[in-house]
Amino acid sequence: MADSTHLDPAPHGEMPSGADPGVDASSPSSETVRRAALYWEQSQIDLVEAKRLCRASAFVESSHLSFQAAVNALASVCHLRGRVRLPNHSAVALVELCGLTDSAFTEASLLADCADLEAVQARSPFDPDPDPKLLKQAAGAALKQSDRVLKAVKRHLKSARKSPKRWPL
């Protein structure tokens, strides 16, 4: 049975009466912490895999996983802070949501990193293949940007941690 302090969407997309859509203002439940931890762990896995793919010259795939790592890391903050409906298609929208609870996420450089990572998604498989050197540079830049986002999230999570037992970092 779900913890009543955690706001999950009701069946068929209906929200409980009086609820602010997508936000649970109460302290995080154990399920909320578990979900946030899963997103955080997945972001780390995605970044490691993006680095491996970059070394293997799979630059497009590496760039996409760098974007996904950033999205998952930011989603962990949103879940921990009670956001249950997330714009998982947009790193910029997620970092802006994170900025509502921690001003560190409003830094221009972090917003720019998220915007650059998001641009990775604009490439169509039907576009002509770009210069391999440009792909390599773009993949390297995406890795650095994603790494900066994950470091910002890690700093936030460590400062927000109430008990080492509740947040496994």
Side-chain angles (χ1 to χ4, degrees), residues 48 72 103 153:
V48 166
N72 282 328
S103 62
V153 168

Side-chain angles (χ1 to χ4, degrees), residues 33 37 157-158 160-169:
V33 172
L157 294 176
K158 282 189 173 189
R161 181 175 49 193
K162 292 181 182 178
S163 164
K165 294 179 182 178
R166 294 213 59 203
W167 189 253
L169 282 182

Side-chain angles (χ1 to χ4, degrees), residues 23-35:
V23 179
D24 178 9
S26 65
S27 64
S29 68
S30 59
E31 179 62 16
T32 299
V33 172
R34 185 189 71 78
R35 287 181 188 175

Side-chain angles (χ1 to χ4, degrees), residues 51-85:
K51 289 175 182 176
R52 186 192 69 76
L53 288 169
C54 192
R55 285 190 304 271
S57 299
F59 302 122
V60 172
E61 295 84 351
S62 173
S63 296
H64 283 277
L65 269 176
S66 294
F67 167 78
Q68 193 60 45
V71 165
N72 282 328
L74 293 166
S76 71
V77 172
C78 290
H79 273 281
L80 192 61
R81 295 298 176 206
R83 290 255 172 212
V84 295
R85 292 186 179 179

Side-chain angles (χ1 to χ4, degrees), residues 11 25 39 57 85 90 113-114 138:
Y39 274 98
S57 299
R85 292 186 179 179
S90 173
D113 285 342
C114 288

